Amino acid sequence: QVRLVESGGGVVQAGGSLRLSCAASGRAVGSEAMAWFRQAPGKEREFVAAIRRSGGNIYYADSVKGRFSISRDNAKNTVYLQMNSLKPEDTAVYYCAADPSGSYYYSVQGAYDFWGQGTQVTVSS
């Protein structure tokens, strides 16, 4: 069984911080690439950040560069998203995704085989 379980979402004021976690189990464990996507109300799901298993390759969407930081703890099978200087436009459901083989197309949803159920992040102005 494959499971990706996100946690850490909530309501925060603009300028605040949140740390999301995603715990992997089953076939998602040890995935070469892990990523975060988000979907705001009425919008398409979009790429946020991705990280390779080694941690040596990290990618961010332009909209979050300098504010968000992705990391992973392979011993704990967990990936994190540290979100600082949050803005109201960061409000969305955040999803964790896993790609066991590690496709080159790290920002493409179709490259990821497994998804979590999502966690809500709400940033108030």
Side-chain angles (χ1 to χ4, degrees), residues 45-66:
R45 189 177 300 186
E46 64 176 6
F47 169 75
V48 175
I51 185 170
R52 305 287 287 199
R53 178 173 173 77
S54 67
N57 296 87
I58 292 176
Y59 311 95
Y60 295 103
D62 288 343
S63 58
V64 306
K65 279 181 182 177

Side-chain angles (χ1 to χ4, degrees), residues 34 68 82 99:
M34 299 287 293
F68 289 13
Q82 178 67 44
D99 173 13

Side-chain angles (χ1 to χ4, degrees), residues 3-8 19-25 28-37 49-53 55 57-60 69-82 94-99 112 114-116 119:
R3 290 194 72 192
L4 292 174
V5 180
E6 301 100 334
S7 61
R19 188 193 195 203
L20 305 183
S21 299
C22 172
S25 61
V29 170
S31 288
E32 177 57 35
M34 299 287 293
W36 290 94
F37 288 74
I51 185 170
R52 305 287 287 199
R53 178 173 173 77
N57 296 87
I58 292 176
Y59 311 95
Y60 295 103
S69 177
I70 188 172
S71 61
R72 63 189 290 173
D73 185 334
N74 293 327
K76 295 182 178 180
N77 301 317
T78 300
V79 63
Y80 305 97
L81 185 68
Q82 178 67 44
Y94 284 70
Y95 297 91
C96 175
D99 173 13
Y112 294 89
F114 308 122
W115 293 81
T119 185

Side-chain angles (χ1 to χ4, degrees), residues 111-124:
Y112 294 89
D113 298 314
F114 308 122
W115 293 81
Q117 80 290 348
T119 185
Q120 176 70 46
V121 172
T122 301
V123 184
S124 62

